[in-house]
C-alpha cells in the first residue's frame, strides 16, 4: 500500500473506520477473503461440516474447561469436594460441568463421523498423506483428553476406571511397568496421579491439539479440498464453489444443532457425581466411559500369557493400520465399492467395536453384576441429590460439628443410638450420608411415606437385599425413634448425642466403683450426658472398659465369641476374686493364646467383672461349663504384649501338664538385652510376646538350632524372599545388638515354648481414666471412640481424621481397632510396630497385604506421619504405648 492510499481519509461509521484501521496494520481483510473464498470442487455439501464441528466443540471444551478450572483443586483430598461445590453450589455449575462432559462425548462422535466421511470419500488420496496422519494424531490426542479428564472428579467411577486403564498400559512388555509408574507418579493412584492427569488434561494435550490443528489446517489448505468421490484427487475437474456463503451456512447450522443437543442434555439430564473415591471398596465394579467400553469388553476375552496379544499386539496393529491408511491404500481410486478390501476391513472393525460396546451394556444389565451396578448407580444418584458437604480442616485436624438448633429431641437421640447399635452406620455412614457400600439416607423420609418406609425396613426389596441390606426387626417404639432420626438427617438436629439401650444393672457395685462411675459419667451439673440424673450402672461402665481394651476383637461383641471363646460360660463358675486374679494374671494357656494381662485400677477391674457377669450365654452353648476346665494361677507372670490385636479378657486354661511345666527361665545380660531389642524393634507384634508365634508370623522357638553359627545373623540381615513377602524387614542393627538378639533367639528352645518369661517385680502403671463424652458422630462404639479421641495428641487426631476420610474403617472397623471380616484390627499388632517400620509397610505392602486386597495409600509425608501416630496410639493411654515405652516398662520381662 503506497503512501497516498494510506493517507486517504475513510468515510463511514465508527465500526468501518476501526476495521479499516485494523486492516491497515494486520491485513485482516485479505486473510478473511483467503479463508472464505476457498474453492470447493463440486460445491458445498453437508458431508463437509464435520471438520468445522470438531473445531467448534474443541473451542467449547476449552471455554468450559477454563471456567471449571477456576474452582477445581487437583489434590486427592479436595478434588472431589471442589467438583461437588461446582455441581451443587456454583450458580449454573451443574449445567457448565454437564456441557463439558457431554462435549467430550460429542467430540468423539463427530470425530468418528469425520474420519468415516474422509475414508469413504477417499479424501486422503493424492498427496494428502500428511493431512491424514496429522488428523490421526489429533484423534489420539482427543482420546487422551477423555482419558485424563475422566479421573479429575475423583469419584468412585473415575478412580476405578483409571485404575483399569493404567493397568492396561502396564501389560505392555518391557516398558509397561515404567509407563504405569510414569502415569501414576508411583505404584498407586493418588495425588501425584491426579496432578499429572490435570497437567496433561489442562496444559499438555490442549497445547498439542492447538499445534496439530494449525498443522492440519495448513496441510488442508496446501492440498485443497478433495471434493466428491467422482473427483480426481490430483487434478480436480469439477466446477468449484467458494466456501462462503453456502458451506459457511451449512457449518453454522451443524454447529447450532450441536449447541442445541448439548444444551438440552445438560439442562434436562445433568451429569451426576458419585461418592468420593474409596480405594478400599472391594465391591465396586469399574466401568469406563462409553467410548472405551469396546476395549473394556475386549479385555474379557484374554487371560494369562495371551493378554499381551489381546491388549498390546492386536490394538497396536489396528492403530498402526489406522495411522498408515494412506500408505496401505495407495490407489487413486476413491469410490468405496471399488476398494473392497479396505472398506471391508474398516466395516469389520467398526461393527466389532459397536458389537463389543452393546454386548458390554447388555451383560451389565442382565448378568450377575447387574445388582451391584444398579446399586452403584443408586449411590451415584443419591450422592448427587444430597446436600453439599464442604471440606473443613482445622489446624489441629478436628472438625467442629454444629449443635442442633433448639432443644434436643429425645426421639432423635434414641434413634441415633439404634442406628449406631444396629450397625447401620457401617454401610450408610455415621450420619447416614452414604458410603461406597450403601447410598445416602438424607431425605429418605420425603421419598417414602412412614408406612412404606417401615415396610421397606422390615422387608427390604430385592435390590436392597442385593446390596446386603438386612431386615430391621425392631419394636414399634424403636422403629418410631429410628424414623425420627432418619427425618433429621441433613439438618443440624442430627448432631445430638446418641442414647443407647442401657444394660441390666450389675449386682456388684462398690462405693469406689460408684465414685469412678460418677467421675466418668456425671458432669459438673450433676447430670449424665444423655440428660438423665440417675447414676450410670456399673455394667455400662464395665462395657466401656471392655471396649476400650478392644476385648471384642477376639471375644466378639457382648463377649459372644469370635476368634476366642464366649465369656459367659467361662466366668459362670468363677468367684469375683478368682476372675479378677485371672484377668490380671492370665494362666499359661491363656498366654499361649495371646491373652495379655488386663491392667487397670481396682475400680476398673471391678467394673469389668460387673459387666462380664451380665453377659448372656450364647444360644449354641450350654448354660453350664465344668469348673475343671478353668484354672486360676496366682503366680503366673505378666507377658509383655499381646500376640494378636488386643486379644480378649479370658481364655481356656491349660492342661495340668502344661501348668506344671511352667518354670522360670533364667536370663543372662545378653539374653535380657536381646529380649528388649526384640520388643523395641516390634518383633513381638508379629511373632508374639515370647516369640511363640501368631497368626501373622511363625514361632521362633528352636530357630537357633535350625540356623546355627552365622546363619541366623545372616538370615536376619538378609531375609529370604518368602520372609520378605510375609512382611519381614531386614534387621539393621550393629554387631553388639545382633549378638544380643541372636542370644535371645537361641535361648528359645522347644522345652521353653510354654514357659513364661521372668520379669522384674514392677507393676504396670494404672491406666488413666478419661471422662466419658458423648459424641455427635454415629461411631460403632461412641463412648469408646470419643474417649480415645479426647486423649489423642493433635497429630494423632489428624491421623484419625485422615483414617476416616479415606474410609479405612470399611475394612479395619470404624476406628480401626477391632477389624472386620475383610481385614484385621490395627490395635495390638500394627500399633506395636516402630514408626519407621509401620510407615514402610504402608508405603510398600507385603505380599500378604496385597493378597488381602489392601489398596494403595497415597499419603504425603505429613499425612503419613499423622496416620502412623494414630495407629500407634490405638491401644495406648495418652502419650505412649505402655508395652513399647522406655523406662520401667521396657524392663518388664
Amino acid at each position: 500500500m503506497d503512501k497516498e492510499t494510506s493517507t486517504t481519509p475513510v468515510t463511514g461509521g465508527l465500526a468501518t473506520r476501526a476495521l479499516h484501521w485494523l486492516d491497515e496494520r494486520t491485513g485482516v481483510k485479505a486473510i478473511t477473503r483467503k479463508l472464505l473464498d476457498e474453492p470447493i470442487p463440486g460445491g458445498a455439501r453437508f458431508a463437509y461440516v464435520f471438520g468445522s464441528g470438531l473445531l467448534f466443540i474443541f473451542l467449547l471444551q476449552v471455554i468450559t474447561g477454563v471456567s471449571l478450572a477456576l474452582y477445581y483443586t487437583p489434590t486427592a483430598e479436595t478434588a472431589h469436594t471442589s467438583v461437588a461445590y461446582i455441581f451443587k453450589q456454583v450458580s449454573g455449575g451443574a449445567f457448565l460441568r454437564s456441557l463439558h462432559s457431554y462435549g467430550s462425548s460429542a467430540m468423539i462422535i463427530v470425530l468418528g463421523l469425520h474420519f468415516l466421511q474422509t475414508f469413504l470419500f477417499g479424501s486422503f488420496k493424492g498427496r494428502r498423506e500428511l493431512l491424514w496422519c496429522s488428523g490421526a494424531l489429533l484423534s489420539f490426542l482427543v482420546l487422551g483428553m477423555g482419558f485424563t479428564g475422566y479421573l479429575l472428579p475423583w469419584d468412585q467411577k473415575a478412580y476405578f476406571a483409571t485404575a483399569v486403564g493404567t493397568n492396561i498400559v502396564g501389560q505392555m512388555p518391557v516398558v509397561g511397568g515404567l509407563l504405569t509408574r510414569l502415569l501414576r507418579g508411583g505404584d498407586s493412584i493418588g495425588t501425584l496421579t491426579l496432578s499429572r492427569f490435570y497437567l496433561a488434561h489442562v496444559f499438555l494435550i490442549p497445547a498439542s491439539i492447538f499445534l496439530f490443528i494449525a498443522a492440519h489446517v495448513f496441510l488442508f489448505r496446501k492440498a485443497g479440498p478433495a471434493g466428491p468421490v467422482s473427483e480426481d484427487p490430483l487434478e480436480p475437474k469439477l466446477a468449484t464453489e467458494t466456501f462462503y456463503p453456502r458451506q459457511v451456512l451449512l457449518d453454522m447450522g451443524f454447529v447450532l444443532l450441536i449447541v442445541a443437543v448439548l444444551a438440552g442434555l445438560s439442562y434436562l439430564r445433568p451429569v451426576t457425581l458419585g461418592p468420593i473415591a474409596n480405594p478400599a471398596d472391594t465391591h465396586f465394579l469399574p466401568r469406563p466411559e462409553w467410548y472405551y467400553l469396546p476395549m473394556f469388553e475386549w479385555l474379557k476375552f484374554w487371560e494369562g500369557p495371551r493378554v499381551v496379544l489381546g491388549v498390546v499386539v492386536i490394538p497396536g496393529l489396528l492403530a498402526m493400520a489406522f495411522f498408515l491408511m494412506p500408505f496401505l491404500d495407495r490407489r487413486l481410486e476413491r469410490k468405496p465399492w471399488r476398494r473392497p478390501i479396505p472398506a471391508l476391513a474398516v466395516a469389520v472393525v467398526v461393527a466389532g467395536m459397536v458389537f463389543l460396546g452393546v454386548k458390554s451394556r447388555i451383560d451389565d444389565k442382565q448378568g450377575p453384576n447387574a445388582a451391584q451396578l444398579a446399586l452403584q448407580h443408586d449411590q451415584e444418584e443419591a450422592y448427587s441429590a444430597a446436600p453439599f458437604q464442604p471440606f473443613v480442616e482445622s489446624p489441629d485436624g478436628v472438625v467442629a460439628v454444629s449443635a442442633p438448633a433448639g432443644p434436643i429431641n429425645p426421639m432423635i437421640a434414641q434413634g441415633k443410638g439404634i442406628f449406631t447399635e444396629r450397625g447401620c452406620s457401617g454401610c450408610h455412614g455415621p450420619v447416614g450420608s452414604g458410603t461406597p457400600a450403601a447410598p445416602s439416607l438424607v431425605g429418605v423420609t420425603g421419598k417414602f411415606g412412614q408406612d412404606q418406609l417401615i415396610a421397606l425396613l422390615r422387608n427390604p426389596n430385592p435390590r436392597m437385599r442385593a446390596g446386603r441390606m438386612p431386615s430391621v426387626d425392631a419394636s414399634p417404639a424403636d422403629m418410631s425413634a429410628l424414623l425420627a432420626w432418619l427425618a433429621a438427617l441433613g439438618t443440624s438436629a442430627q448432631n445430638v448425642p446418641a442414647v443407647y439401650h442401657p444394660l441390666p444393672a450389675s449386682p456388684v457395685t462398690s462405693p469406689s466403683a460408684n465414685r469412678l462411675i460418677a467421675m466418668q459419667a456425671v458432669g459438673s451439673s450433676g447430670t449424665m450426658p444423655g440428660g438423665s440424673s440417675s447414676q450410670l450402672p456399673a455394667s455400662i461402665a464395665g462395657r466401656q472398659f471392655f471396649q476400650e481394651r478392644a476385648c471384642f476383637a477376639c471375644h466378639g461383641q457382648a463377649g459372644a465369641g469370635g476368634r476366642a471363646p464366649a465369656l459367659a460360660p467361662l466366668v459362670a463358675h468363677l468367684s469375683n476374686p478368682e476372675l479378677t486374679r485371672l484377668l490380671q494374671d492370665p494362666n499359661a494357656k491363656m498366654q499361649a493364646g495371646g491373652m495379655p494381662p488386663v491392667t487397670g485400677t481396682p475400680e476398673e477391674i471391678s467394673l469389668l467383672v460387673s459387666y462380664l457377669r451380665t453377659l448372656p450365654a450364647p444360644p449354641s452353648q450350654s448354660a453350664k461349663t465344668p469348673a475343671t476346665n478353668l484354672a486360676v494361677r496366682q503366680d503366673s507372670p505378666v507377658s509383655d504384649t499381646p500376640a494378636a490385636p488386643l486379644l480378649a479378657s479370658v481364655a481356656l486354661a491349660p492342661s495340668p501338664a502344661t501348668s506344671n511345666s511352667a518354670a522360670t527361665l533364667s536370663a543372662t545380660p545378653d539374653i535380657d538385652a536381646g529380649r528388649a531389642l526384640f520388643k523395641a524393634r516390634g518383633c513381638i507384634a508379629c511373632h508374639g510376646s515370647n516369640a511363640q508365634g501368631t497368626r501373622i508370623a511363625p514361632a521362633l522357638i528352636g530357630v537357633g538350632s535350625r540356623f546355627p553359627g552365622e546363619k541366623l545373623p545372616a538370615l536376619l540381615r538378609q531375609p529370604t524372599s518368602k520372609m520378605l513377602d510375609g512382611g519381614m524387614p531386614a534387621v539393621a542393627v550393629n554387631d553388639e545388638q545382633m549378638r544380643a538378639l541372636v542370644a535371645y533367639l537361641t535361648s528359645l528352645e522347644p522345652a521353653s515354648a510354654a514357659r513364661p518369661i521372668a520379669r522384674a517385680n514392677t507393676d504396670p502403671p494404672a491406666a488413666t481414666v478419661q471422662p466419658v463424652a458423648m459424641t455427635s458422630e454415629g461411631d460403632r462404639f461412641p463412648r469408646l471412640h470419643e474417649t480415645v479421641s479426647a486423649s489423642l495428641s493433635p497429630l494423632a487426631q489428624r491421623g484419625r481424621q485422615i483414617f476416616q476420610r479415606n474410609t479405612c474403617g470399611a475394612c479395619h472397623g470404624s476406628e480401626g481397632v477391632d477389624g472386620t471380616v475383610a481385614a484385621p484390627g490395627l490395635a495390638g499388632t500394627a500399633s506395636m510396630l516402630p514408626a519407621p517400620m509401620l510407615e514402610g509397610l504402608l508405603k510398600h505392602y507385603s505380599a500378604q497385604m496385597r493378597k488381602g486386597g489392601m489398596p494403595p495409600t497415597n499419603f504425603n509425608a505429613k499425612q503419613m506421619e499423622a496416620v502412623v501416630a494414630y495407629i500407634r496410639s490405638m491401644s495406648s493411654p495418652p502419650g505412649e504405648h505402655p508395652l513399647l515405652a522406655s523406662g520401667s516398662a521396657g524392663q518388664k520381662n
Side-chain angles (χ1 to χ4, degrees):
M1 184 178 293
D2 55 25
K3 182 176 181 182
E4 182 181 355
T5 304
S6 63
T7 57
T8 301
V10 178
T11 60
L14 178 62
T16 302
R17 293 198 303 273
L19 181 61
H20 178 76
W21 182 89
L22 182 65
D23 180 57
E24 283 186 321
R25 289 154 178 80
T26 62
V28 65
K29 290 183 178 180
I31 296 174
T32 304
R33 283 194 298 269
K34 180 69 175 175
L35 292 175
L36 297 180
D37 294 343
E38 176 189 8
I40 303 175
R45 296 172 184 261
F46 184 78
Y48 304 152
V49 301
F50 301 115
S52 300
L54 275 175
L55 180 60
F56 169 76
I57 297 175
F58 175 67
L59 294 177
L60 176 67
Q61 292 297 93
V62 170
I63 294 171
T64 55
V66 169
S67 301
L68 294 172
L70 295 176
Y71 299 94
Y72 183 75
T73 53
T75 68
E77 282 189 337
T78 57
H80 185 265
T81 305
S82 62
V83 175
Y85 178 77
I86 296 171
F87 181 67
K88 299 180 180 183
Q89 296 292 106
V90 175
S91 179
F95 179 83
L96 187 68
R97 178 171 176 263
S98 300
L99 204 60
H100 191 75
S101 178
Y102 285 127
S104 65
S105 295
M107 199 166 186
I108 298 295
I109 294 173
V110 177
L111 179 65
L113 294 174
H114 183 55
F115 269 103
L116 285 176
Q117 178 268 324
T118 303
F119 172 79
L120 293 175
F121 276 52
S123 300
F124 55 87
K125 296 177 179 292
R127 295 189 291 270
R128 292 178 175 84
E129 299 90 347
L130 292 179
L131 178 62
W132 174 275
C133 292
S134 64
L137 283 173
L138 280 170
S139 68
F140 290 134
L141 290 173
V142 169
L143 290 174
M145 283 285 286
F147 179 68
T148 53
Y150 200 66
L151 177 66
L152 300 187
W154 199 249
D155 59 359
Q156 289 279 81
K157 181 172 62 177
Y159 179 92
F160 285 101
T162 303
V164 172
T166 52
N167 287 336
I168 293 174
V169 175
Q171 300 296 329
M172 296 180 63
V174 183
V175 297
L178 177 62
L179 290 177
T180 301
R181 289 191 295 273
L182 182 65
L183 285 174
R184 294 181 172 181
D187 295 326
S188 57
I189 298 176
T191 296
L192 285 179
T193 315
L194 196 58
S195 62
R196 293 186 181 208
F197 275 51
Y198 180 76
L199 174 67
H201 186 75
V202 175
F203 297 103
L204 300 182
I205 298 181
S208 302
I209 289 178
F210 273 116
L211 177 64
F212 280 100
I213 284 177
H216 193 69
V217 172
F218 171 78
L219 293 171
F220 177 76
R221 297 306 299 268
K222 177 68 176 176
V229 294
S230 59
E231 181 64 281
D232 188 297
L234 293 177
E235 298 178 0
K237 298 180 177 61
L238 297 176
T240 62
E241 179 183 359
T242 58
F243 184 74
Y244 178 83
R246 285 190 62 213
Q247 191 62 49
V248 171
L249 292 176
L250 289 174
D251 288 355
M252 290 180 63
F254 183 62
V255 166
L256 289 175
L257 177 64
I258 292 175
V259 171
V261 172
L262 293 181
L265 286 173
S266 301
Y267 180 77
L268 298 174
R269 193 175 180 180
V271 295
T272 56
L273 178 66
I276 189 170
N278 175 22
D281 186 0
T282 58
H283 301 291
F284 192 88
L285 297 177
R287 292 296 182 270
E289 195 59 271
W290 65 269
Y291 42 84
Y292 282 116
L293 270 182
M295 185 63 178
F296 176 79
E297 184 69 20
W298 172 256
L299 296 177
K300 298 178 182 179
F301 297 96
W302 305 92
E303 296 179 356
R306 298 184 303 158
V307 72
V308 177
L309 177 65
V311 174
V312 179
V313 178
I314 295 178
L317 291 176
L318 290 176
M320 186 177 298
F322 169 67
F323 187 80
L324 300 177
M325 179 65 71
F327 304 97
L328 298 176
D329 187 8
R330 298 177 58 86
R331 296 171 55 211
L332 294 180
E333 179 60 58
R334 296 179 57 188
K335 298 180 177 63
W337 54 87
R338 294 186 179 179
R339 296 183 288 136
I341 295 179
L344 181 61
V346 171
V348 169
V349 172
V350 172
M353 293 176 66
V354 173
F355 168 76
L356 290 173
V358 173
K359 184 178 184 300
S360 179
R361 292 288 192 185
I362 294 175
D363 290 346
D364 286 345
K365 290 183 178 180
Q366 300 178 356
N369 297 326
Q372 175 63 28
L373 291 171
L375 176 64
Q376 292 173 192
H377 176 74
D378 290 346
Q379 292 173 353
E380 189 170 331
E381 294 285 347
Y383 182 84
S384 298
F388 173 69
Q389 294 183 350
F391 174 81
V392 180
E393 184 174 10
S394 59
D396 59 355
V398 181
V399 179
V401 180
S402 60
I408 294 177
N409 186 341
M411 288 287 288
I412 295 178
Q414 183 182 351
K416 184 175 183 179
I418 296 170
F419 185 84
T420 303
E421 287 181 330
R422 287 180 177 265
C424 309
S425 59
C427 292
H428 293 284
V431 289
S433 56
T435 70
S440 170
L441 297 177
V442 177
V444 68
T445 54
K447 299 177 183 177
F448 302 97
Q450 180 173 333
D451 294 339
Q452 187 180 6
L453 187 55
I454 292 176
L456 277 176
L457 292 173
R458 296 190 185 279
N459 187 22
N461 59 35
R463 178 173 290 185
M464 294 165 67
R465 291 187 182 277
R468 296 170 289 279
M469 169 70 183
S471 59
V472 180
D473 184 16
S475 65
D478 286 350
M479 187 65 75
S480 298
L482 183 59
L483 293 182
W485 161 247
L486 294 178
L489 296 179
T491 68
S492 60
Q494 72 180 16
N495 300 325
V496 296
V499 173
Y500 302 92
H501 289 285
L503 292 175
S506 171
V508 180
T509 306
S510 64
S512 58
N514 282 333
R515 287 194 298 270
L516 177 62
I517 295 170
M519 178 179 64
Q520 287 182 314
V522 181
S524 59
S525 61
T527 60
M528 299 218 6
S532 171
S533 60
S534 61
Q535 278 191 325
L536 187 68
S539 55
I540 295 182
R543 179 177 65 174
Q544 161 72 11
F545 188 79
F546 182 85
Q547 292 171 341
E548 283 180 355
R549 299 309 169 96
C551 307
F552 54 80
C554 287
H555 290 286
Q557 296 303 323
R563 288 177 288 183
L567 294 175
L570 297 178
V571 304
H573 300 280
L574 293 175
S575 65
N576 284 357
E578 290 175 331
L579 182 55
T580 299
R581 286 196 299 270
L582 193 62
L583 291 173
Q584 294 177 317
D585 197 3
N587 57 36
K589 187 169 184 179
M590 294 163 66
Q591 291 187 46
M595 169 67 188
V598 180
T599 58
T601 64
E603 290 82 1
E604 289 172 326
I605 300 299
S606 175
L607 294 175
L608 178 60
V609 170
S610 298
Y611 170 63
L612 296 179
R613 294 299 184 192
T614 67
L615 297 178
S620 59
Q621 294 199 19
S622 172
K624 292 185 178 182
T625 302
T628 55
N629 289 344
L630 292 171
V632 181
R633 293 192 300 105
Q634 302 180 20
D635 57 345
S636 63
V638 179
S639 62
D640 287 332
T641 65
L646 287 183
L647 294 173
S649 304
V650 181
L652 291 174
S655 62
T658 306
S659 297
N660 293 336
S661 65
T664 302
L665 180 68
S666 61
T668 66
D670 278 350
I671 293 177
D672 286 342
R675 186 187 307 120
L677 187 64
F678 184 81
K679 180 178 66 175
R681 288 279 170 172
C683 310
I684 57 175
C686 295
H687 292 284
S689 56
N690 294 329
Q692 74 274 18
T694 68
R695 60 187 178 87
I696 298 174
L700 299 179
I701 308 300
V703 69
S705 58
R706 293 198 301 272
F707 299 94
E710 293 299 321
K711 292 184 178 180
L712 184 55
L715 189 64
L716 294 174
R717 295 187 189 276
Q718 295 181 340
T720 64
S721 58
K722 184 176 181 180
M723 295 164 66
L724 291 172
D725 289 341
M728 170 69 184
V731 181
V733 295
N734 57 37
D735 294 340
E736 182 180 356
Q737 291 173 323
M738 181 61 75
R739 282 196 302 271
L741 183 58
V742 169
Y744 169 64
L745 295 177
T746 305
S747 70
L748 301 173
E749 295 303 326
S752 65
R755 298 175 187 173
I757 304 299
R759 64 179 178 91
N761 187 22
T762 56
D763 296 326
T768 304
V769 179
Q770 297 293 332
V772 176
M774 302 298 288
T775 176
S776 60
E777 299 178 7
D779 293 327
R780 193 172 180 183
F781 303 110
R783 295 184 180 89
L784 163 65
H785 296 155
E786 188 67 18
T787 303
V788 172
S789 175
S791 64
L792 295 178
S793 66
L795 184 63
Q797 287 270 20
R798 174 171 168 78
R800 177 175 179 263
Q801 185 186 30
I802 296 171
F803 184 89
Q804 293 174 336
R805 187 182 304 129
N806 286 271
T807 61
C808 306
C811 291
H812 292 286
S814 58
E815 293 289 341
V817 175
D818 52 329
T820 67
V821 294
L826 301 175
T829 297
S831 63
M832 290 190 294
L833 294 174
M837 185 184 300
L838 179 57
E839 182 175 343
L841 272 178
L842 291 175
K843 290 180 178 178
H844 310 289
Y845 296 164
S846 66
Q848 184 177 0
M849 295 166 69
R850 289 193 297 268
K851 185 178 179 181
M854 172 72 177
T857 55
N858 298 284
F859 303 134
N860 57 36
K862 292 184 178 180
Q863 291 172 332
M864 181 65 74
E865 183 184 7
V867 170
V868 168
Y870 173 60
I871 294 175
R872 284 175 53 80
S873 69
M874 282 183 177
S875 58
S876 312
E880 63 180 9
H881 193 295
L883 298 175
L884 293 180
S886 59
S888 61
Q891 305 301 324
K892 294 170 188 169
N893 295 314

